[in-house]
Every structure is written in structure tokens, then in C-alpha cells.
Amino acid sequence: MALAGTQYGPVRGTDADVLSFKGIPYAAPPVGPNRFQPPRPPEPWTSPRDSRGYGATAPQTRIEGVMGQLIPRTIIPGDDYLNLNVWTPGLTGRAPVMVFIHGGSFTSGSGALSVYDGTRFARDGVVLVTINYRLGADGFLWFGDGTPNLGLLDQIAALTWVRDNIDGFGGDPGNVTIFGESAGAMSVCTLLAMPAAEGLFHRAIAQSGAGHNTISPESARLVGTRLAAALGTAPTREAIADVPVPQLLAAQDMLSQQVSAKPRAKRWGDVARTLLPFSPVVDGDLLPGAPLDRIRAGAAADVDLLIGTNSEEARLFLVPTGVAARMNTPLLYAAAALRFGLPVSGVRRYRANRPGATAGDVLAAVMTDSYYRIPAIRLAEAHRGTYMYEFGWRSPACDGTLGACHALELAFVFNNLDDPSTAPMLGPAPPQHLADLVHRTWLNFATTGTPDWPPYTPEQPTTRHFNTPSTTTTNTNPGPTPH
């Protein structure tokens, strides 16, 4: 066993190939009087706290069927879920620190998923931290009064804990890289724009998410009002706090399904564009402006940034669900493409560029570009010196139909291809040499701030393509781009 100290009390972890400490509270449980309040410090303790197993995770529902196998969820009951996990090569020294922010559409996920195990990062000389934060209504519900963006404030509280405590785990608080995937990447790009996060990290990596997924206060009120109506309560946080958690989670899921089925701006405001009813709000104070605008104006100009996407992100949402197969006429996919801001001429070009592709294939390409690739490019254009990547290895799972889909790169980043939970998505014998390359690239960026390819500029749009083999290209004609 290993013993480390924090400002709140000692923790007892596991001493195996590396040292690990799990379930360390960085804030008080967000329940009772702390519900819908900014994160508050945890109560100190004196005896060593057992940190050999993961702590509680934020409330969320399980997902069944094929999607539940492809995107597993770890749910651990308990109120004390504002906690984090640390893997370190040793308690002395000043190693680079990487803090991972999980995805899950801001309504699911945790830092306790086995694919996020940080052993390989610690083995290779990095202190790796994963965190939990408030999700759904608890993290992002806002009617215009009280404190907004509580889930983001949790992330900032975790980063503050890292700044104040990580040296006791052998980490360098002056060399912190935040990285995240999907909603975690959207969080990363939003933190770049938040004054309260300034100075808490020095590098950032955004995987399959950028700065386009925030909503206005008006849209947040629309979501809150519809959530209250679904629950039969008054449209206030206080009333919603009285709703039993299972009932609240069911209503959240219902709202998400309604948005996906009919994303109409008149009904949902900005959420018709983001498809995320619970997400960061541009409140004018904690988040003074849209992240892309703030970054373009110079916010986080001193933060090194690596951003990228997977080549076929949307196939995860269209193929296992059967949507791609049902999209069997040009009229259907054209209507869907228009919903994502692509003009009719652009739809024709997507179709013409993919001879033999099905309507579902074309829709997947449009969704991937509009929701993931183009926002990443816009952020790279706004933040000078950004490095871009694209992950293109195609999974053989689901009879080869998943392709280079959303979340596929995670096991490669963490170099955890042998984790059994990844098998349904990766299929048999994923390429270890590619995992070694991707993992080493993330390590090198966290250590030096520069990978082994040039930064992206509009004049020289250089992108590193991770595949078998991997290449670096400068593409001056990216084709039709949704708005």
C-alpha cells in the first residue's frame, strides 16, 4: 500500500506496477444544502482515507443493448461523487500532469471507466488524473437565477485541487495538460474561454469536441421549463431538487430523445443545433461569451492546443441504432443534411464524392463534418499554433460497419487495447503499434507542447492522420463545409 498527503487529509492507495489513488474527494457531496450550489471544500479527515477503489459516480441511467456494449457505463451509487483518481510513477519528482475529462453528452460517464485506467500513462512518466463532475440537471440546469454551469465549476474545482495537491503525488503543478473526449472535449474548449480556469492548466487536447456546443440563457430556460413540465413541478431548481433522482433521470433522458427526434429551434432554441439539452450556458459572467469568440479574441492564447476528430464519428450513432439502414432514399438524407446546415448543392457534392455510398453513409459524412470536423477546424483557425489530428483506423466490429467512429480512439490514447470492455468496439486484434504511436504522441505533447508535425494554419492546414500507416498531410481543399 502507498500513503500520500492532501490538504484535506492522508489517502491510502495501491502500490502495484504504479501507484494509484482512487475516489479522492475534491469537493463536498453536492446534496442537501450543497445541491445546485458551487462546489464547496470537502470536510477534512485525519486518519488515512482508503483510496484503493473507485468512489461514487454522478447519477445517471444505464444504457442497454448494442449501444450499452459499445459505450459501457460504470455506475457506483453514493453522494460523495465529486472525486478524482490519480495514477503516478512515484510520490517524488515533478512529472508532467494530465487531467482527463470524460464525455457522455453531459448526462453520463465517469472517471471510473476501465478504459480510462491511467496505469500506462504513469508507467511512461506522467501523473494521470481522471475526474467526476455533476451531470444533467444537477450540473447544467439554469433558469437565470443562482449560479450557472455547476458542472464546469466542478471541473475547475478539480483542477484547483490538482494545482494545490499534485506535488504530493510526484506531479508538477506548473505543467498540467487537460484533455477530454466528446462532451469532455467540449468542456476543455469551454474552459479555455473561462476566466475562472485561467492559469490552472498549460496545455489542452480536445478529442471529438470543440467550442460550438454552448447555449444561450434563453435556451437554458426553455430546457428547464420543459423539464419542469415533464416532472409536474414548478420551473425552479428548488422544486426540481424535491424530485426523486430516478424520476429526474428518466425525464432528462426523455428530453434528450425529444430533441434528437425533432430538433426544432422554435421549441428548443440553441439546443436544436447542439442536440444537448444540458450543456454549458453562455451566462455572460462565468462564461462571458461563446468559446470560439473568446478564443478568437485571445483567451488562452498561451495554452498549447491539440485538437482532432475521428474520420467517421457519426457512424457510432447511425449504424448500431439502425438509423443508417433506414435512411434509404436521397430525400431522407437530404432533409437530414439540411438540418445540419448544408445547402442543397453541398448535399449533391457529398453524394457525388462518394460513388456507391448508401444514403446512410452520406448522412454519416455530413454529420461527422458538421458536428465534429468543421468546429475543430474553426477552433484551430481561432487559436494560433494549434495542432490538428484525425484518427482514421476503421474498426472491424459490427461486420466492419462502425468504421472510424466516435470514441474509437480512447483505448489507443490510454494504450488500453487489452481492456475487455473495449472488445465490442475494437473487434479482434486492434493494432498495438498504432496505440503505441497515439499514446506516445499524447505523452510528448503533455511534456513539450509540440508534436512531430507543424501547426495548423489556414494557409498550411496540416493534419496528422493516425491510421495504418499514419501520415501527415496539408489539405488545401477540404471540400464542402456545413455552416
Side-chain angles (χ1 to χ4, degrees):
M1 291 186 293
L3 196 65
T6 78
Q7 68 190 114
Y8 302 110
V11 291
R12 180 182 293 112
T14 301
D15 184 356
D17 295 337
V18 300
L19 306 182
S20 64
F21 302 84
K22 298 174 181 175
I24 305 172
Y26 66 82
V31 297
N34 294 334
R35 187 103 182 258
F36 294 120
Q37 297 296 321
R40 292 167 176 162
E43 287 292 327
W45 59 90
T46 54
S47 298
R49 184 185 181 102
D50 187 1
S51 298
R52 291 173 293 178
Y54 289 112
T57 58
Q60 57 196 277
T61 56
R62 296 192 181 276
I63 184 170
E64 305 297 336
V66 175
M67 290 299 289
Q69 297 172 15
L70 295 172
I71 307 291
R73 294 180 182 176
T74 296
I75 299 177
I76 304 173
D79 294 335
D80 200 3
Y81 62 82
L82 295 185
N83 60 62
L84 51 78
N85 313 295
V86 181
W87 290 262
T88 178
L91 300 181
T92 59
R94 294 176 71 81
V97 180
M98 299 183 72
V99 181
F100 181 71
I101 305 174
H102 70 78
S105 302
F106 295 108
T107 57
S108 66
S110 77
L113 288 182
S114 56
V115 71
Y116 305 151
D117 182 283
T119 298
R120 268 62 183 265
F121 273 111
R123 176 201 64 189
D124 295 331
V126 163
V127 177
L128 193 284
V129 181
T130 66
I131 69 172
N132 295 335
Y133 54 95
R134 276 175 279 189
L135 303 170
D138 276 86
F140 298 95
L141 177 70
W142 194 51
F143 291 100
D145 57 341
T147 305
N149 294 315
L150 296 173
L152 292 174
L153 290 181
D154 293 343
Q155 296 172 12
I156 290 172
L159 290 171
T160 302
W161 185 97
V162 168
R163 181 196 65 191
D164 297 341
N165 294 277
I166 208 65
D167 57 346
F169 295 80
D172 181 1
N175 185 6
V176 175
T177 298
I178 61 172
F179 68 124
E181 184 267 344
S182 195
M186 298 169 194
S187 296
V188 165
C189 296
T190 305
L191 291 170
L192 290 169
M194 295 183 70
E198 187 174 348
L200 292 176
F201 56 91
H202 313 89
R203 300 185 176 105
I205 304 172
Q207 302 167 212
S208 305
H212 286 56
N213 296 87
T214 55
I215 62 175
S216 69
E218 294 75 21
S219 297
R221 280 191 285 270
L222 277 175
V223 170
T225 300
R226 296 199 178 283
L227 178 66
L231 293 169
T233 67
T236 66
R237 279 174 162 176
E238 292 75 17
I240 288 174
D242 290 333
V243 175
V245 170
Q247 186 178 343
L248 175 58
L249 295 177
Q252 288 178 184
D253 286 352
M254 183 185 70
L255 255 64
S256 296
Q257 293 163 9
Q258 290 176 349
V259 169
S260 296
K262 295 182 179 180
R264 295 169 180 167
K266 186 175 181 180
R267 182 175 178 84
W268 297 107
D270 296 331
V271 176
R273 169 181 52 83
T274 68
L275 305 179
L276 300 171
F278 301 100
S279 54
V281 182
V282 181
D283 65 289
D285 182 16
L286 288 170
L287 183 54
L292 188 64
D293 295 338
R294 293 267 303 154
I295 292 166
R296 187 181 290 117
D302 59 342
V303 176
D304 302 321
L305 178 61
L306 170 64
I307 189 169
T309 61
N310 297 351
S311 299
E312 300 170 295
E313 299 268 6
R315 296 190 73 83
L316 176 65
F317 312 106
L318 298 178
V319 172
T321 58
V323 173
R326 293 194 298 271
M327 197 66 55
N328 54 10
T329 70
L331 180 61
L332 287 175
Y333 79 70
L338 288 170
R339 205 178 85 193
F340 284 94
L342 192 68
V344 174
S345 60
V347 176
R348 294 195 190 102
R349 289 181 65 188
Y350 269 84
R351 181 70 178 181
N353 289 342
R354 292 163 177 81
T358 68
D361 293 336
V362 175
L363 177 60
V366 170
M367 288 180 61
T368 296
D369 281 1
S370 62
Y371 202 80
Y372 297 101
R373 188 175 74 94
I374 303 307
I377 290 173
R378 296 294 173 258
L379 193 65
E381 293 169 344
H383 186 280
R384 180 174 292 274
T386 295
Y387 299 90
M388 287 205 71
Y389 77 88
E390 180 177 319
F391 185 87
W393 179 75
R394 304 189 84 247
S395 170
C398 300
D399 296 324
T401 58
L402 273 182
C405 70
H406 191 66
L408 187 67
E409 88 290 354
L410 282 166
F412 292 81
V413 169
F414 284 85
N415 208 351
N416 285 333
L417 300 187
D418 55 351
D419 175 16
S421 75
T422 68
M425 178 172 280
L426 299 182
Q432 182 60 53
H433 66 91
L434 182 58
D436 293 339
L437 174 62
V438 173
H439 179 70
R440 185 170 66 250
T441 299
W442 265 235
L443 283 166
N444 290 344
F445 183 80
T447 303
T448 67
T450 55
D452 61 354
W453 68 91
Y456 181 100
T457 66
E459 299 76 25
Q460 294 291 323
T462 304
T463 301
R464 179 65 162 164
H465 299 269
F466 293 108
N467 207 329
T468 51
S470 296
T471 59
T472 301
T473 64
T474 299
N475 181 9
T476 57
N477 182 24
T481 59
H483 301 295

